Every structure is written in structure tokens, then in C-alpha cells.
Amino acid sequence: MTTPMQRNELKAFLRTRRAMLTPEAVGLPRGTRRLTPGLRREEVATLADVGLTWYTWLEQGRDINVSAAALTRIARALSLSATDETYLFSLMGLSRTEVTEHHFTLPPVTQQVLDLYQAPAFVLDTVFNLLAWNRLAGKLYDLGEFGGPFADNHIWNAFMNPARRRLYPDFENGALNLLGMFRMNYAAHPEDTRFDRLIAALTAASPEFVTLWQRCHTAPLSAIIVPFFHPDFGHLSIHSMRMPIRDEDHLDRATAFFFAPADAPTAASFARMAQRLGGG
């Protein structure tokens, strides 16, 4: 059974992905009377070998029976990426185990690992609240300097904290990547009301968040290179490595972010800051 949140997300996701896919990309003629900015519903249904009425109900978010085989064909018809397909299955409740959300405590060794690491490192929970960090991450992000009900939330700070925003020279791509990972967590944990509270607050406070969130972007926990600028660190090029932290039931409950320098100036900046902070 899917929740109203999942069905609403499903509607937005399928419509967005259908609008993004051109007829030419899937070997179909465009014709001269096309009004739809992308594929038509009947074209997706034909490509996926499903009935048009059934696909229309699916895209409308109706509570209908959906098999994994049919959902796989729809993913192929829409040329979904691996993370998009995982997200689609999560929205339909076909790829995750139903569990009751519970309080998660990081293993005690986590802080020791972060403190030994000689570059910024931190841990976020599923809704991207900050759980732990080392001194270099604290200095880079100015942690503890921003107040309010979502002061410890990484997404909220990215959009609402002016000092945090200035860290990202390419804000749109950086924010989209964060929202892509966040969206994957949201689909996998529809019972966690913290997501809805945060999204509602950001929707009310940030038109930019609304614009980017409506793009329905998804992103995996893979390493990427991110540009940063900090008044003390200078210009940085950083490998951002993300790794899941699982509980005793082998369910993802947090994500560890480890930064590594992507060039020599960044390595020198990290070493200089670590020395200034007494070894990081």
C-alpha cells in the first residue's frame, strides 16, 4: 500500500520525466500537431506495453495494483536512470522493507573516526540533520553559527543561511545534488513526518527551493567533485565521498560525508587549517 505522499510524488515524478523525454529520443516521429512538451501518455503506454487507462491512473496517483515487471517496463520506456528507477520503485513500496521509524544512535566509534580524519567529515541522518562532525567540517561550514528550528539541517542551511550559500560557487548544481539524495530518502521513509515539516517550511520560505524541488531530481550516494569557496580556506576543489551507515537491521539510517582534496591547493588549504586547529 502506498501513502498519499508517495502517490503525490509519483504524479509529479512521472509527469516531469515524461515531459523531459522527446519523441526523437525513443525513436518516435514528432509530427506537426504535437502540443505536449515531451512524450504523450499513450506513447509511454505503448513503449511500456501497458494499457493507456492503467498508465493514466498510475500517473494520476490512483491507488492501483502495480507489478514490479510493469514498473520496470515503465522505467525503461521513460529512460530512467538507475537512481530514478530506484526512486520509482520506492514510491510504489516495491523495493523497501516496511519498518517503523525509530530513534537511531550513531556507533560510539563514529566521532573517533571523524576526529582522526585529516579533512572535513560529518554525518547526516535520513532527513539531513547533522549528527556528528569533526573540527575541520565545523570550520568549513561555520557549524553552530545559525539558529532557528532547522538550525542543524543541511538542506535548510543550504537555502536559508547566507553564509552557507556563499560556500557554493555553483549553487544550483550543488543544491540539486543534495535534493536528489534527500528525495531518495524521502521516498524510502514516507512514515517520517520530519520530511513533510521541513519541505513545508522550505516551500513557504524559499521560492528557489520550490523551483528546484519541482524538478524531481534524484541522485545516488556516489562521489562527486564539488567547488567551494570559504574566506579562510580559499577556493577549494573537493571530492565528496558519501557512505551509508546502517543499523542492526541493515537499514540505512545515516550518511557519512568524507571530503578529500581534488587538487594540490585544496590539499595545502586543508593541511594549513588542520594545523591551525591543532591537528583537526
Side-chain angles (χ1 to χ4, degrees), residues 1-67:
M1 296 293 292
T2 56
T3 68
M5 179 282 289
Q6 287 171 302
R7 291 194 289 274
N8 286 334
E9 283 293 302
L10 181 69
K11 288 191 293 185
F13 182 72
L14 289 176
R15 289 171 180 172
T16 299
R17 289 298 181 267
R18 179 165 60 85
M20 292 171 58
L21 195 60
T22 64
E24 294 85 351
V26 295
L28 295 175
R30 172 167 291 276
T32 58
R33 302 180 62 182
R34 179 176 295 271
L35 300 177
T36 304
L39 293 184
R40 301 185 178 101
R41 282 176 176 167
E42 56 266 31
E43 291 170 334
V44 175
T46 299
L47 290 169
D49 192 24
V50 298
L52 174 58
T53 299
W54 182 88
Y55 177 76
T56 300
W57 287 350
L58 178 70
E59 194 174 283
Q60 290 173 343
R62 297 196 188 188
D63 192 9
I64 60 176
N65 291 325
V66 181
S67 69

Short mmCIF file of all heavy atoms in Angstrom, two decimals, residues 1-67:
data_model
loop_
_atom_site.label_atom_id
_atom_site.label_comp_id
_atom_site.label_asym_id
_atom_site.label_seq_id
_atom_site.Cartn_x
_atom_site.Cartn_y
_atom_site.Cartn_z
N MET A 1 0.84 -1.20 0.00
CA MET A 1 0.00 0.00 0.00
C MET A 1 0.88 1.25 0.00
O MET A 1 1.86 1.33 0.73
CB MET A 1 -0.92 0.00 1.22
CG MET A 1 -1.91 -1.15 1.24
SD MET A 1 -3.13 -1.01 -0.09
CE MET A 1 -4.03 0.43 0.44
N THR A 2 0.54 2.22 -0.81
CA THR A 2 1.29 3.47 -0.85
C THR A 2 0.54 4.54 -0.06
O THR A 2 -0.67 4.48 0.14
CB THR A 2 1.49 3.95 -2.29
OG1 THR A 2 0.21 4.08 -2.93
CG2 THR A 2 2.35 2.96 -3.07
N THR A 3 1.27 5.55 0.39
CA THR A 3 0.69 6.64 1.16
C THR A 3 0.29 7.78 0.23
O THR A 3 0.75 7.86 -0.92
CB THR A 3 1.70 7.15 2.19
OG1 THR A 3 2.78 7.78 1.48
CG2 THR A 3 2.24 6.01 3.04
N PRO A 4 -0.54 8.73 0.70
CA PRO A 4 -0.86 9.90 -0.14
C PRO A 4 0.39 10.66 -0.56
O PRO A 4 0.46 11.17 -1.69
CB PRO A 4 -1.76 10.73 0.78
CG PRO A 4 -2.41 9.72 1.67
CD PRO A 4 -1.36 8.68 1.92
N MET A 5 1.39 10.77 0.33
CA MET A 5 2.62 11.46 -0.05
C MET A 5 3.28 10.77 -1.23
O MET A 5 3.69 11.42 -2.20
CB MET A 5 3.60 11.49 1.13
CG MET A 5 4.95 12.16 0.83
SD MET A 5 6.16 11.18 -0.13
CE MET A 5 6.61 9.97 1.10
N GLN A 6 3.38 9.44 -1.17
CA GLN A 6 4.04 8.71 -2.25
C GLN A 6 3.27 8.87 -3.57
O GLN A 6 3.87 9.04 -4.63
CB GLN A 6 4.17 7.24 -1.89
CG GLN A 6 5.23 6.95 -0.83
CD GLN A 6 5.17 5.51 -0.36
OE1 GLN A 6 4.14 5.04 0.13
NE2 GLN A 6 6.27 4.80 -0.51
N ARG A 7 1.93 8.84 -3.50
CA ARG A 7 1.14 8.98 -4.73
C ARG A 7 1.28 10.39 -5.31
O ARG A 7 1.34 10.56 -6.53
CB ARG A 7 -0.32 8.63 -4.45
CG ARG A 7 -0.52 7.14 -4.16
CD ARG A 7 -1.99 6.75 -4.22
NE ARG A 7 -2.76 7.28 -3.11
CZ ARG A 7 -2.88 6.69 -1.92
NH1 ARG A 7 -2.26 5.55 -1.71
NH2 ARG A 7 -3.62 7.23 -0.97
N ASN A 8 1.33 11.41 -4.45
CA ASN A 8 1.55 12.77 -4.95
C ASN A 8 2.92 12.91 -5.58
O ASN A 8 3.08 13.57 -6.63
CB ASN A 8 1.39 13.77 -3.80
CG ASN A 8 -0.06 13.98 -3.40
OD1 ASN A 8 -0.97 13.80 -4.21
ND2 ASN A 8 -0.29 14.36 -2.15
N GLU A 9 3.92 12.33 -4.94
CA GLU A 9 5.26 12.37 -5.51
C GLU A 9 5.31 11.61 -6.84
O GLU A 9 5.98 12.03 -7.79
CB GLU A 9 6.26 11.76 -4.53
CG GLU A 9 6.63 12.66 -3.38
CD GLU A 9 7.42 13.87 -3.84
OE1 GLU A 9 8.48 13.70 -4.44
OE2 GLU A 9 6.94 15.00 -3.63
N LEU A 10 4.60 10.49 -6.90
CA LEU A 10 4.57 9.69 -8.13
C LEU A 10 4.00 10.49 -9.28
O LEU A 10 4.53 10.46 -10.40
CB LEU A 10 3.75 8.41 -7.89
CG LEU A 10 3.64 7.46 -9.08
CD1 LEU A 10 4.98 6.81 -9.36
CD2 LEU A 10 2.58 6.40 -8.82
N LYS A 11 2.90 11.22 -9.03
CA LYS A 11 2.30 12.04 -10.09
C LYS A 11 3.31 13.05 -10.63
O LYS A 11 3.50 13.16 -11.85
CB LYS A 11 1.08 12.78 -9.53
CG LYS A 11 -0.12 11.90 -9.28
CD LYS A 11 -1.37 12.73 -9.00
CE LYS A 11 -1.27 13.49 -7.70
NZ LYS A 11 -2.53 14.20 -7.36
N ALA A 12 3.94 13.78 -9.73
CA ALA A 12 4.89 14.81 -10.16
C ALA A 12 6.08 14.19 -10.88
O ALA A 12 6.55 14.71 -11.90
CB ALA A 12 5.36 15.62 -8.95
N PHE A 13 6.56 13.06 -10.35
CA PHE A 13 7.76 12.43 -10.92
C PHE A 13 7.49 11.91 -12.33
O PHE A 13 8.27 12.19 -13.26
CB PHE A 13 8.20 11.29 -10.01
CG PHE A 13 9.45 10.59 -10.46
CD1 PHE A 13 10.67 11.23 -10.36
CD2 PHE A 13 9.41 9.31 -10.98
CE1 PHE A 13 11.84 10.61 -10.76
CE2 PHE A 13 10.57 8.68 -11.39
CZ PHE A 13 11.79 9.32 -11.28
N LEU A 14 6.42 11.16 -12.53
CA LEU A 14 6.13 10.59 -13.85
C LEU A 14 5.86 11.69 -14.89
O LEU A 14 6.33 11.61 -16.02
CB LEU A 14 4.95 9.64 -13.78
CG LEU A 14 5.21 8.31 -13.06
CD1 LEU A 14 3.92 7.49 -12.98
CD2 LEU A 14 6.30 7.50 -13.75
N ARG A 15 5.12 12.71 -14.48
CA ARG A 15 4.82 13.79 -15.43
C ARG A 15 6.08 14.55 -15.80
O ARG A 15 6.28 14.93 -16.96
CB ARG A 15 3.79 14.74 -14.83
CG ARG A 15 2.40 14.12 -14.73
CD ARG A 15 1.45 14.99 -13.93
NE ARG A 15 0.12 14.40 -13.84
CZ ARG A 15 -0.86 14.86 -13.08
NH1 ARG A 15 -0.65 15.94 -12.33
NH2 ARG A 15 -2.03 14.26 -13.05
N THR A 16 6.95 14.79 -14.82
CA THR A 16 8.19 15.51 -15.10
C THR A 16 9.08 14.71 -16.04
O THR A 16 9.62 15.25 -17.01
CB THR A 16 8.95 15.79 -13.79
OG1 THR A 16 8.14 16.61 -12.94
CG2 THR A 16 10.26 16.51 -14.06
N ARG A 17 9.24 13.41 -15.76
CA ARG A 17 10.10 12.59 -16.60
C ARG A 17 9.51 12.42 -18.00
O ARG A 17 10.25 12.39 -18.99
CB ARG A 17 10.33 11.23 -15.94
CG ARG A 17 11.23 11.30 -14.72
CD ARG A 17 12.63 11.81 -15.10
NE ARG A 17 13.51 11.87 -13.95
CZ ARG A 17 13.69 12.92 -13.19
NH1 ARG A 17 13.01 14.04 -13.44
NH2 ARG A 17 14.52 12.89 -12.18
N ARG A 18 8.20 12.30 -18.14
CA ARG A 18 7.58 12.19 -19.45
C ARG A 18 7.78 13.46 -20.26
O ARG A 18 8.06 13.42 -21.47
CB ARG A 18 6.09 11.87 -19.29
CG ARG A 18 5.33 11.76 -20.59
CD ARG A 18 3.97 11.10 -20.41
NE ARG A 18 3.10 11.82 -19.51
CZ ARG A 18 2.33 12.84 -19.87
NH1 ARG A 18 2.36 13.29 -21.13
NH2 ARG A 18 1.53 13.42 -18.99
N ALA A 19 7.67 14.61 -19.59
CA ALA A 19 7.85 15.88 -20.29
C ALA A 19 9.28 16.11 -20.74
O ALA A 19 9.53 16.83 -21.71
CB ALA A 19 7.40 17.03 -19.39
N MET A 20 10.23 15.48 -20.03
CA MET A 20 11.64 15.67 -20.36
C MET A 20 12.10 14.82 -21.53
O MET A 20 13.17 15.06 -22.10
CB MET A 20 12.51 15.35 -19.13
CG MET A 20 12.36 16.33 -17.98
SD MET A 20 13.21 15.76 -16.47
CE MET A 20 14.89 15.58 -17.07
N LEU A 21 11.33 13.80 -21.91
CA LEU A 21 11.77 12.83 -22.91
C LEU A 21 11.16 13.18 -24.26
O LEU A 21 9.94 13.19 -24.42
CB LEU A 21 11.36 11.42 -22.48
CG LEU A 21 12.01 10.25 -23.21
CD1 LEU A 21 13.52 10.27 -23.02
CD2 LEU A 21 11.44 8.94 -22.70
N THR A 22 11.98 13.46 -25.26
CA THR A 22 11.48 13.82 -26.58
C THR A 22 11.13 12.57 -27.39
O THR A 22 11.69 11.49 -27.16
CB THR A 22 12.54 14.62 -27.36
OG1 THR A 22 13.68 13.79 -27.60
CG2 THR A 22 12.97 15.86 -26.58
N PRO A 23 10.19 12.69 -28.33
CA PRO A 23 9.87 11.54 -29.19
C PRO A 23 11.08 11.01 -29.94
O PRO A 23 11.27 9.80 -30.08
CB PRO A 23 8.82 12.11 -30.14
CG PRO A 23 8.28 13.31 -29.47
CD PRO A 23 9.39 13.87 -28.63
N GLU A 24 11.92 11.94 -30.41
CA GLU A 24 13.10 11.52 -31.17
C GLU A 24 14.03 10.64 -30.34
O GLU A 24 14.68 9.74 -30.87
CB GLU A 24 13.87 12.75 -31.66
CG GLU A 24 13.12 13.61 -32.68
CD GLU A 24 12.19 14.63 -32.04
OE1 GLU A 24 11.99 14.56 -30.81
OE2 GLU A 24 11.66 15.48 -32.76
N ALA A 25 14.08 10.88 -29.03
CA ALA A 25 14.99 10.13 -28.17
C ALA A 25 14.59 8.66 -28.05
O ALA A 25 15.43 7.81 -27.73
CB ALA A 25 15.04 10.76 -26.78
N VAL A 26 13.31 8.37 -28.29
CA VAL A 26 12.86 6.98 -28.20
C VAL A 26 12.45 6.43 -29.56
O VAL A 26 11.79 5.41 -29.65
CB VAL A 26 11.68 6.85 -27.20
CG1 VAL A 26 12.13 7.19 -25.80
CG2 VAL A 26 10.51 7.74 -27.62
N GLY A 27 12.85 7.12 -30.63
CA GLY A 27 12.62 6.61 -31.99
C GLY A 27 11.23 6.85 -32.52
O GLY A 27 10.79 6.14 -33.43
N LEU A 28 10.51 7.85 -31.98
CA LEU A 28 9.16 8.15 -32.45
C LEU A 28 9.16 9.44 -33.26
O LEU A 28 9.94 10.35 -32.97
CB LEU A 28 8.20 8.29 -31.27
CG LEU A 28 7.95 7.03 -30.42
CD1 LEU A 28 7.07 7.37 -29.22
CD2 LEU A 28 7.31 5.93 -31.26
N PRO A 29 8.30 9.56 -34.26
CA PRO A 29 8.22 10.82 -35.02
C PRO A 29 7.56 11.91 -34.19
O PRO A 29 6.66 11.65 -33.40
CB PRO A 29 7.36 10.44 -36.22
CG PRO A 29 6.52 9.30 -35.73
CD PRO A 29 7.38 8.53 -34.78
N ARG A 30 8.02 13.14 -34.37
CA ARG A 30 7.43 14.25 -33.63
C ARG A 30 6.08 14.65 -34.21
O ARG A 30 5.16 15.00 -33.47
CB ARG A 30 8.39 15.44 -33.64
CG ARG A 30 7.79 16.72 -33.06
CD ARG A 30 8.83 17.77 -32.80
NE ARG A 30 9.69 17.35 -31.70
CZ ARG A 30 9.39 17.54 -30.42
NH1 ARG A 30 8.24 18.12 -30.08
NH2 ARG A 30 10.21 17.15 -29.48
N GLY A 31 5.94 14.63 -35.52
CA GLY A 31 4.69 15.07 -36.13
C GLY A 31 4.60 16.58 -36.15
O GLY A 31 5.49 17.30 -35.70
N THR A 32 3.49 17.08 -36.67
CA THR A 32 3.34 18.53 -36.84
C THR A 32 2.31 19.14 -35.90
O THR A 32 2.18 20.36 -35.83
CB THR A 32 2.93 18.84 -38.29
OG1 THR A 32 1.71 18.15 -38.59
CG2 THR A 32 4.02 18.41 -39.26
N ARG A 33 1.56 18.31 -35.15
CA ARG A 33 0.48 18.85 -34.31
C ARG A 33 0.70 18.50 -32.84
O ARG A 33 -0.23 18.41 -32.07
CB ARG A 33 -0.87 18.30 -34.78
CG ARG A 33 -1.17 18.62 -36.25
CD ARG A 33 -2.50 18.05 -36.67
NE ARG A 33 -3.61 18.64 -35.91
CZ ARG A 33 -4.89 18.28 -36.06
NH1 ARG A 33 -5.20 17.32 -36.93
NH2 ARG A 33 -5.83 18.84 -35.33
N ARG A 34 1.95 18.33 -32.44
CA ARG A 34 2.25 17.95 -31.06
C ARG A 34 2.19 19.18 -30.15
O ARG A 34 2.87 20.18 -30.37
CB ARG A 34 3.64 17.32 -30.97
CG ARG A 34 4.06 16.91 -29.54
CD ARG A 34 5.41 16.20 -29.55
NE ARG A 34 5.32 14.95 -30.25
CZ ARG A 34 5.00 13.79 -29.67
NH1 ARG A 34 4.72 13.75 -28.39
NH2 ARG A 34 4.94 12.69 -30.39
N LEU A 35 1.38 19.10 -29.11
CA LEU A 35 1.27 20.15 -28.12
C LEU A 35 1.97 19.78 -26.82
O LEU A 35 2.34 20.65 -26.04
CB LEU A 35 -0.21 20.47 -27.84
CG LEU A 35 -1.04 20.93 -29.03
CD1 LEU A 35 -2.49 21.14 -28.61
CD2 LEU A 35 -0.47 22.21 -29.63
N THR A 36 2.14 18.49 -26.57
CA THR A 36 2.75 18.02 -25.33
C THR A 36 4.26 18.26 -25.34
O THR A 36 4.93 17.89 -26.30
CB THR A 36 2.50 16.51 -25.14
OG1 THR A 36 1.09 16.28 -25.18
CG2 THR A 36 3.06 16.02 -23.82
N PRO A 37 4.82 18.89 -24.29
CA PRO A 37 6.28 19.11 -24.23
C PRO A 37 7.00 17.84 -23.80
O PRO A 37 7.55 17.73 -22.70
CB PRO A 37 6.41 20.22 -23.17
CG PRO A 37 5.25 19.98 -22.27
CD PRO A 37 4.13 19.48 -23.14
N GLY A 38 7.02 16.86 -24.67
CA GLY A 38 7.62 15.57 -24.35
C GLY A 38 6.77 14.46 -24.93
O GLY A 38 6.06 14.65 -25.93
N LEU A 39 6.81 13.29 -24.31
CA LEU A 39 6.00 12.17 -24.78
C LEU A 39 4.55 12.32 -24.33
O LEU A 39 4.26 12.90 -23.29
CB LEU A 39 6.55 10.85 -24.23
CG LEU A 39 7.92 10.40 -24.73
CD1 LEU A 39 8.25 9.03 -24.14
CD2 LEU A 39 7.98 10.35 -26.24
N ARG A 40 3.64 11.78 -25.14
CA ARG A 40 2.25 11.67 -24.73
C ARG A 40 2.08 10.44 -23.85
O ARG A 40 2.88 9.50 -23.88
CB ARG A 40 1.35 11.57 -25.95
CG ARG A 40 1.44 12.74 -26.92
CD ARG A 40 0.40 12.58 -28.03
NE ARG A 40 0.41 13.70 -28.96
CZ ARG A 40 0.98 13.67 -30.16
NH1 ARG A 40 1.62 12.57 -30.55
NH2 ARG A 40 0.96 14.73 -30.95
N ARG A 41 1.00 10.44 -23.06
CA ARG A 41 0.74 9.28 -22.21
C ARG A 41 0.59 8.00 -23.03
O ARG A 41 1.08 6.94 -22.65
CB ARG A 41 -0.53 9.51 -21.38
CG ARG A 41 -0.34 10.42 -20.18
CD ARG A 41 -1.67 10.65 -19.49
NE ARG A 41 -1.51 11.44 -18.27
CZ ARG A 41 -2.51 11.99 -17.61
NH1 ARG A 41 -3.75 11.87 -18.07
NH2 ARG A 41 -2.28 12.67 -16.50
N GLU A 42 -0.12 8.11 -24.17
CA GLU A 42 -0.33 6.91 -24.97
C GLU A 42 0.99 6.36 -25.53
O GLU A 42 1.13 5.16 -25.74
CB GLU A 42 -1.33 7.18 -26.10
CG GLU A 42 -0.95 8.33 -27.03
CD GLU A 42 -1.60 9.65 -26.62
OE1 GLU A 42 -1.81 9.83 -25.40
OE2 GLU A 42 -1.87 10.47 -27.50
N GLU A 43 1.95 7.26 -25.76
CA GLU A 43 3.26 6.81 -26.25
C GLU A 43 4.01 6.05 -25.16
O GLU A 43 4.65 5.03 -25.44
CB GLU A 43 4.06 8.01 -26.75
CG GLU A 43 3.48 8.62 -28.02
CD GLU A 43 4.11 9.95 -28.40
OE1 GLU A 43 4.61 10.66 -27.50
OE2 GLU A 43 4.10 10.29 -29.59
N VAL A 44 3.96 6.55 -23.94
CA VAL A 44 4.60 5.83 -22.84
C VAL A 44 3.94 4.48 -22.64
O VAL A 44 4.61 3.46 -22.45
CB VAL A 44 4.53 6.66 -21.53
CG1 VAL A 44 5.09 5.86 -20.36
CG2 VAL A 44 5.28 7.96 -21.69
N ALA A 45 2.61 4.45 -22.68
CA ALA A 45 1.89 3.19 -22.50
C ALA A 45 2.27 2.18 -23.58
O ALA A 45 2.48 0.98 -23.29
CB ALA A 45 0.38 3.44 -22.52
N THR A 46 2.39 2.63 -24.81
CA THR A 46 2.77 1.73 -25.90
C THR A 46 4.20 1.22 -25.71
O THR A 46 4.47 0.02 -25.85
CB THR A 46 2.66 2.45 -27.25
OG1 THR A 46 1.29 2.85 -27.46
CG2 THR A 46 3.10 1.55 -28.39
N LEU A 47 5.13 2.12 -25.38
CA LEU A 47 6.52 1.72 -25.18
C LEU A 47 6.66 0.74 -24.01
O LEU A 47 7.52 -0.14 -24.04
CB LEU A 47 7.38 2.96 -24.92
CG LEU A 47 7.61 3.89 -26.12
CD1 LEU A 47 8.24 5.20 -25.66
CD2 LEU A 47 8.49 3.22 -27.18
N ALA A 48 5.84 0.90 -22.99
CA ALA A 48 5.92 0.05 -21.80
C ALA A 48 5.04 -1.20 -21.91
O ALA A 48 5.06 -2.04 -21.00
CB ALA A 48 5.52 0.84 -20.57
N ASP A 49 4.26 -1.30 -22.99
CA ASP A 49 3.37 -2.44 -23.20
C ASP A 49 2.37 -2.56 -22.04
O ASP A 49 2.17 -3.64 -21.48
CB ASP A 49 4.17 -3.74 -23.35
CG ASP A 49 3.31 -4.90 -23.87
OD1 ASP A 49 2.28 -4.61 -24.51
OD2 ASP A 49 3.65 -6.07 -23.61
N VAL A 50 1.75 -1.43 -21.69
CA VAL A 50 0.70 -1.42 -20.68
C VAL A 50 -0.50 -0.68 -21.28
O VAL A 50 -0.39 0.04 -22.27
CB VAL A 50 1.15 -0.72 -19.38
CG1 VAL A 50 2.30 -1.46 -18.74
CG2 VAL A 50 1.51 0.74 -19.62
N GLY A 51 -1.66 -0.85 -20.66
CA GLY A 51 -2.86 -0.18 -21.14
C GLY A 51 -2.82 1.31 -20.87
O GLY A 51 -2.29 1.76 -19.85
N LEU A 52 -3.41 2.09 -21.78
CA LEU A 52 -3.41 3.54 -21.63
C LEU A 52 -4.19 3.96 -20.39
O LEU A 52 -3.75 4.83 -19.63
CB LEU A 52 -4.00 4.20 -22.87
CG LEU A 52 -4.20 5.73 -22.79
CD1 LEU A 52 -2.90 6.44 -22.50
CD2 LEU A 52 -4.84 6.25 -24.09
N THR A 53 -5.35 3.35 -20.16
CA THR A 53 -6.14 3.72 -18.99
C THR A 53 -5.38 3.40 -17.71
O THR A 53 -5.35 4.22 -16.77
CB THR A 53 -7.49 2.97 -18.99
OG1 THR A 53 -8.22 3.33 -20.16
CG2 THR A 53 -8.31 3.32 -17.76
N TRP A 54 -4.75 2.24 -17.67
CA TRP A 54 -3.99 1.85 -16.48
C TRP A 54 -2.83 2.82 -16.24
O TRP A 54 -2.61 3.27 -15.11
CB TRP A 54 -3.44 0.43 -16.65
CG TRP A 54 -2.67 -0.09 -15.48
CD1 TRP A 54 -3.16 -0.76 -14.39
CD2 TRP A 54 -1.26 0.03 -15.26
NE1 TRP A 54 -2.15 -1.07 -13.51
CE2 TRP A 54 -0.98 -0.60 -14.02
CE3 TRP A 54 -0.21 0.59 -15.99
CZ2 TRP A 54 0.31 -0.67 -13.50
CZ3 TRP A 54 1.07 0.52 -15.46
CH2 TRP A 54 1.32 -0.10 -14.24
N TYR A 55 -2.10 3.18 -17.31
CA TYR A 55 -0.98 4.11 -17.14
C TYR A 55 -1.49 5.49 -16.71
O TYR A 55 -0.88 6.15 -15.87
CB TYR A 55 -0.15 4.25 -18.42
CG TYR A 55 0.96 5.26 -18.23
CD1 TYR A 55 2.09 4.93 -17.50
CD2 TYR A 55 0.82 6.57 -18.70
CE1 TYR A 55 3.09 5.87 -17.26
CE2 TYR A 55 1.81 7.52 -18.47
CZ TYR A 55 2.94 7.15 -17.75
OH TYR A 55 3.91 8.08 -17.50
N THR A 56 -2.62 5.93 -17.27
CA THR A 56 -3.19 7.22 -16.88
C THR A 56 -3.52 7.22 -15.39
O THR A 56 -3.23 8.20 -14.68
CB THR A 56 -4.45 7.52 -17.70
OG1 THR A 56 -4.11 7.56 -19.09
CG2 THR A 56 -5.07 8.85 -17.29
N TRP A 57 -4.11 6.13 -14.91
CA TRP A 57 -4.43 6.04 -13.48
C TRP A 57 -3.15 6.06 -12.64
O TRP A 57 -3.11 6.69 -11.58
CB TRP A 57 -5.20 4.76 -13.19
CG TRP A 57 -6.63 4.80 -13.68
CD1 TRP A 57 -7.31 5.89 -14.14
CD2 TRP A 57 -7.54 3.70 -13.75
NE1 TRP A 57 -8.59 5.56 -14.51
CE2 TRP A 57 -8.76 4.21 -14.27
CE3 TRP A 57 -7.45 2.35 -13.44
CZ2 TRP A 57 -9.88 3.40 -14.46
CZ3 TRP A 57 -8.57 1.55 -13.63
CH2 TRP A 57 -9.76 2.07 -14.14
N LEU A 58 -2.11 5.38 -13.12
CA LEU A 58 -0.84 5.37 -12.39
C LEU A 58 -0.29 6.80 -12.29
O LEU A 58 0.13 7.25 -11.21
CB LEU A 58 0.16 4.46 -13.09
CG LEU A 58 1.56 4.39 -12.46
CD1 LEU A 58 1.50 3.65 -11.13
CD2 LEU A 58 2.55 3.71 -13.41
N GLU A 59 -0.29 7.51 -13.41
CA GLU A 59 0.26 8.87 -13.42
C GLU A 59 -0.61 9.84 -12.63
O GLU A 59 -0.13 10.88 -12.16
CB GLU A 59 0.42 9.36 -14.87
CG GLU A 59 1.27 10.60 -14.98
CD GLU A 59 1.56 11.01 -16.41
OE1 GLU A 59 2.42 10.36 -17.05
OE2 GLU A 59 0.89 11.95 -16.89
N GLN A 60 -1.88 9.51 -12.46
CA GLN A 60 -2.77 10.34 -11.65
C GLN A 60 -2.62 10.04 -10.16
O GLN A 60 -3.26 10.69 -9.33
CB GLN A 60 -4.21 10.13 -12.08
CG GLN A 60 -4.53 10.74 -13.46
CD GLN A 60 -5.93 10.38 -13.94
OE1 GLN A 60 -6.57 9.45 -13.42
NE2 GLN A 60 -6.41 11.11 -14.95
N GLY A 61 -1.81 9.05 -9.83
CA GLY A 61 -1.58 8.71 -8.44
C GLY A 61 -2.70 7.91 -7.81
O GLY A 61 -2.84 7.90 -6.58
N ARG A 62 -3.49 7.21 -8.63
CA ARG A 62 -4.56 6.40 -8.05
C ARG A 62 -3.98 5.18 -7.35
O ARG A 62 -2.91 4.68 -7.71
CB ARG A 62 -5.55 5.96 -9.14
CG ARG A 62 -6.26 7.13 -9.83
CD ARG A 62 -7.47 6.64 -10.59
NE ARG A 62 -8.07 7.67 -11.43
CZ ARG A 62 -9.22 7.54 -12.06
NH1 ARG A 62 -9.91 6.39 -11.96
NH2 ARG A 62 -9.69 8.51 -12.81
N ASP A 63 -4.71 4.68 -6.38
CA ASP A 63 -4.27 3.53 -5.60
C ASP A 63 -4.62 2.25 -6.35
O ASP A 63 -5.68 1.65 -6.14
CB ASP A 63 -4.91 3.55 -4.22
CG ASP A 63 -4.26 2.55 -3.27
OD1 ASP A 63 -3.21 1.98 -3.64
OD2 ASP A 63 -4.81 2.34 -2.18
N ILE A 64 -3.75 1.84 -7.28
CA ILE A 64 -4.00 0.67 -8.13
C ILE A 64 -2.91 -0.36 -7.90
O ILE A 64 -1.85 -0.07 -7.34
CB ILE A 64 -4.04 1.07 -9.63
CG1 ILE A 64 -2.69 1.70 -10.04
CG2 ILE A 64 -5.19 2.01 -9.91
CD1 ILE A 64 -2.61 2.02 -11.52
N ASN A 65 -3.16 -1.58 -8.35
CA ASN A 65 -2.17 -2.64 -8.24
C ASN A 65 -1.11 -2.47 -9.33
O ASN A 65 -1.44 -2.27 -10.50
CB ASN A 65 -2.83 -4.01 -8.39
CG ASN A 65 -3.71 -4.35 -7.20
OD1 ASN A 65 -3.39 -3.99 -6.07
ND2 ASN A 65 -4.82 -5.04 -7.45
N VAL A 66 0.14 -2.54 -8.93
CA VAL A 66 1.26 -2.37 -9.87
C VAL A 66 2.26 -3.48 -9.61
O VAL A 66 2.70 -3.69 -8.49
CB VAL A 66 1.95 -1.00 -9.67
CG1 VAL A 66 3.09 -0.84 -10.66
CG2 VAL A 66 0.95 0.13 -9.82
N SER A 67 2.63 -4.21 -10.67
CA SER A 67 3.62 -5.26 -10.53
C SER A 67 5.02 -4.72 -10.77
O SER A 67 5.19 -3.68 -11.44
CB SER A 67 3.34 -6.39 -11.53
OG SER A 67 3.60 -5.94 -12.85
#
